[in-house]
Amino acid sequence: MIFLQSQEVEETLKRIQSHKGVVGTIVVNNEGIPVKSTLDNTTTVQYAGLMSQLADKARSVVRDLDPSNDMTFLRVRSKKHEIMVAPDKDFILIVIQNPTD
């Protein structure tokens, strides 16, 4: 069963990575530690740490505004990249892409 889930995760990450403009994908555990990445180690550790903190803070803001609510997705767009964060119970998926105008 775990093998099938792992294979499904691999296929999903490959599908995301194949999208036009995607620079990299990172899967982070709930402790902020990267467990899978298509980026180099330094970049992975930097994005994992900072985006995990930002996602935690954003989730707190959403819950403070409405305790019955929860954050499901976070998108940050800068001049160079668009960073999408999809938190789950045990993991956070981070996707970095070049924004298309």
Side-chain angles (χ1 to χ4, degrees):
M1 183 72 172
I2 292 173
F3 173 74
L4 289 176
Q5 289 175 334
S6 177
Q7 195 173 5
E8 223 176 284
V9 169
E10 288 293 329
E11 289 170 10
T12 301
L13 289 174
K14 281 181 188 171
R15 193 175 75 241
I16 292 169
Q17 187 65 40
S18 71
H19 281 256
K20 184 182 175 203
V22 172
V23 175
T25 58
I26 306 167
V27 178
V28 182
N29 69 14
N30 54 14
E31 296 170 4
I33 298 167
V35 293
K36 187 148 196 63
S37 178
T38 59
L39 300 167
D40 66 81
N41 190 55
T42 304
T43 305
T44 296
V45 170
Q46 184 178 31
Y47 271 94
L50 294 172
M51 294 312 294
S52 293
Q53 290 176 34
L54 182 59
D56 288 345
K57 191 58 135 173
R59 174 176 268 159
S60 292
V61 169
V62 169
R63 286 183 176 164
D64 286 350
L65 292 171
D66 180 356
S68 68
N69 204 354
D70 198 5
M71 183 182 78
T72 57
F73 195 78
L74 175 66
R75 179 177 284 189
V76 178
R77 188 167 177 163
S78 67
K79 289 180 181 177
K80 291 184 177 180
H81 294 111
E82 185 172 36
I83 306 162
M84 292 160 289
V85 181
D88 198 40
K89 194 179 92 164
D90 298 319
F91 298 97
I92 298 173
L93 173 63
I94 302 168
V95 178
I96 300 107
Q97 72 177 17
N98 291 319
T100 53
D101 292 300

